[in-house]
Amino acid sequence: MTTFTLRRALTATAATGLLLVAATACSDDSTAEQAPATPASSSAPASGQPQTSASASPSGSERSTPMDIRVTIDGEPVDATLNGSPTARDLASLLPLTLDLEDFHGTERVADPPRKLTTEGAPEPQAPKAGDLAYFAPWGNLAIFYKDGPSASEDLLVLGHIDADADQLSGADRITIEAAS
């Protein structure tokens, strides 16, 4: 668990450093609209590869079509929905999926799907809220937040929402996600 925590902290620190270097190197005095550079969001991928622009991503209507899924947490069924983003659709292609969960930072339960998910055409970053199902792209793991998460980051993609109370989510040991019939 300590290695896991350290690895995530180092990844976040490295991504923030890359963002600050890129912002400094690319800044100029022009009046062109620029995205603010804040340490709370890491917009530079760790691989150093450029990301596609927002105009290359699917339109809002293509990303916002929700998908109902069946979720069972420690044998108890709960209502849940995926948001229809390309990453959420990629997760849906892996279903049914049963994963063992472990706690991370007293905020979320995490697990590793069988493979990394696509992040192409990812929606705009948003801060995760309690009940959100998210994907942390640098590590390729899923996270179920039982408390509100950190500020928005391009590395953390919210995929949907699980309608369960924080106590049930915080103690979850196993989750099964299935396509709805």
Side-chain angles (χ1 to χ4, degrees):
M1 185 71 162
T2 303
T3 302
F4 186 72
T5 303
L6 180 59
R7 188 171 76 177
R8 193 165 196 182
L10 288 173
T11 300
T13 302
T16 301
L18 284 173
L19 174 65
L20 291 173
V21 169
T24 303
C26 295
S27 66
D28 62 12
D29 294 321
S30 71
T31 58
E33 184 175 317
Q34 296 180 1
T38 61
S41 69
S42 53
S43 63
S47 66
Q49 304 240 342
Q51 292 184 338
T52 57
S53 69
S55 62
S57 63
S59 70
S61 62
E62 292 170 338
R63 287 190 299 194
S64 63
T65 306
M67 296 178 278
D68 289 330
I69 53 174
R70 286 193 313 255
V71 171
T72 306
I73 298 175
D74 296 330
E76 296 291 322
V78 295
D79 292 329
T81 305
L82 292 178
N83 62 22
S85 69
T87 308
R89 287 193 305 268
D90 195 22
L91 175 64
S93 75
L94 297 174
L95 304 182
L97 193 59
T98 298
L99 301 167
D100 292 321
L101 301 166
E102 62 182 73
D103 195 70
F104 186 76
H105 275 223
T107 304
E108 61 195 271
R109 304 291 290 172
V110 298
D112 295 317
R115 65 168 171 78
K116 286 195 170 194
L117 303 176
T118 184
T119 58
E120 192 171 319
E124 291 298 316
Q126 59 182 329
K129 302 289 184 202
D132 280 350
L133 174 63
Y135 179 67
F136 187 66
W139 295 351
N141 65 1
L142 293 175
I144 300 167
F145 285 84
Y146 56 88
K147 292 183 180 175
D148 289 351
S151 60
S153 164
E154 289 187 19
D155 289 335
L156 186 66
L157 309 174
V158 174
L159 304 180
H161 191 80
I162 298 172
D163 297 324
D165 65 44
D167 289 337
Q168 184 178 12
L169 295 174
S170 69
D173 290 318
R174 180 170 272 212
I175 186 171
T176 299
I177 308 169
E178 302 171 284
S181 344

